[in-house]
Amino acid sequence: MVKKLISIKNIKKQFETGEVVTKVLHGIDLDIDKGEFIAIMGPSGSGKSTLMHILGFLDTPSSGEFLFNGTDVSGLSDDELAEMRSKKIGFVFQSFNLLPKTSVLDNVMLPLFYDNTPKKERTKKALKVIEDVGLSHRTNNLSNQLSGGEKQRVAIARALVNDPSVIFADEPTGNLDSKSGLQVMKIIQDLNIKHGHTVILVTHERETSSHANRIINIKDGLIVKDEKVKNRIFANNNHELVK
């Protein structure tokens, strides 16, 4: 039996501003197995970003149970959440979030500074993941000298450098042209299919979500549909789509 990486039950989240209470998640149940590629979809205000923040240890639920790799993490402190993020989670954001006047190598090594990894080991790990995303020829370039697609590949390398249990990709193609977007989706698919990484993709684009093997639709703070992708699409080396 495949062991569940994530299991949440009756997760609720509300935000309080003075006497105003805004309820965002109204009781989410969701299981994600190791090695799955999940796409989370929903309109603006549906709660998909809040759910991603909870799953990625960026926020805590107001109530409910959250098991990560069999351990209850729903009541962790901010410091404990930060440690879980640094060791278990890799993030890829739409806006890249790179340091602009810093080399590709130093951008990718950044997460390793926080766990006191020795410099020689930091460099070795970073060079490996930079090679994995096809950017060895850009190692010493500054990030502001890169194209949008290259910046996103650097962000993916940075997300991989700590060998995380799960990779979150939040609208990873949102700022890219179609060719660069397909190149990025091929890398993300390869991380899942060839290397076994669990991937959770947040997107509003149906075509992008079809790269996953399972789509979760959220509306008004609830899961309204959870389905396997019947006609999954793949990005090939020529940056074309194939069924």
Side-chain angles (χ1 to χ4, degrees):
M1 184 177 179
V2 178
K3 187 174 181 181
K4 291 180 177 62
L5 178 64
I6 290 172
S7 181
I8 60 175
K9 298 185 185 304
N10 199 29
I11 288 290
K12 297 180 180 180
K13 180 65 179 182
Q14 64 183 36
F15 297 96
E16 299 180 14
T17 305
E19 296 181 356
V20 178
V21 177
T22 303
K23 297 182 178 181
V24 180
L25 300 179
H26 302 285
I28 299 284
D29 296 328
L30 179 63
D31 292 328
I32 299 173
D33 290 334
K34 291 181 179 179
E36 279 200 281
F37 186 167
I38 303 290
I40 298 176
M41 299 191 71
S44 178
S46 62
K48 65 181 185 296
S49 294
T50 299
L51 177 60
M52 186 199 75
H53 289 164
I54 291 172
L55 295 178
F57 305 115
L58 292 168
D59 201 354
T60 55
S62 300
S63 62
E65 181 182 79
F66 180 4
L67 300 181
F68 187 90
N69 212 12
T71 300
D72 187 354
V73 297
S74 49
L76 293 183
S77 67
D78 288 344
D79 287 344
E80 289 169 329
L81 286 174
E83 185 174 1
M84 288 288 285
R85 277 198 308 275
S86 67
K87 293 181 178 179
K88 303 294 185 182
I89 306 295
F91 288 103
V92 181
F93 295 102
Q94 178 178 348
S95 55
F96 319 130
N97 290 359
L98 302 179
L99 299 177
K101 296 183 179 179
T102 306
S103 71
V104 167
L105 179 61
D106 285 340
N107 266 287
V108 173
M109 285 197 297
L110 189 61
L112 300 175
F113 284 103
Y114 299 108
D115 63 2
N116 298 316
T117 302
K119 184 176 181 180
K120 187 175 180 180
E121 186 67 14
R122 287 200 306 264
T123 304
K124 181 180 178 181
K125 285 183 174 183
L127 290 174
K128 172 63 171 60
V129 293
I130 290 170
E131 181 182 0
D132 288 345
V133 300
L135 284 178
S136 293
H137 63 296
R138 293 292 206 184
T139 299
N140 295 315
N141 282 91
L142 303 183
S143 66
N144 59 2
Q145 298 172 326
L146 306 180
S147 68
E150 289 172 331
K151 288 177 181 178
Q152 196 58 290
R153 286 153 65 191
V154 174
I156 292 171
R158 183 184 57 193
L160 288 172
V161 76
N162 268 335
D163 192 25
S165 299
V166 58
I167 297 167
F168 285 89
D170 187 7
E171 301 282 5
T173 63
N175 284 335
L176 305 179
D177 60 51
S178 58
K179 182 178 178 179
S180 297
L182 283 177
Q183 190 175 34
V184 164
M185 289 311 301
K186 174 169 172 44
I187 292 171
I188 292 174
Q189 276 189 324
D190 285 349
L191 292 175
N192 173 249
I193 297 169
K194 295 182 179 180
H195 303 286
H197 286 282
T198 305
V199 177
I200 299 176
L201 168 74
V202 176
T203 182
H204 68 279
E205 298 174 345
R206 186 73 192 185
E207 187 173 276
T208 301
S209 72
S210 294
H211 287 82
N213 54 24
R214 181 179 165 202
I215 298 176
I216 308 294
N217 284 94
I218 295 182
K219 184 178 180 181
D220 298 330
L222 291 169
I223 292 176
V224 294
K225 187 182 292 185
D226 182 348
E227 59 184 354
K228 296 288 185 180
V229 178
K230 295 179 181 178
N231 295 308
R232 190 178 186 189
I233 60 176
F234 300 87
N236 64 22
N237 289 321
N238 295 320
H239 314 133
E240 298 169 344
L241 295 179
V242 294
K243 291 290 181 77

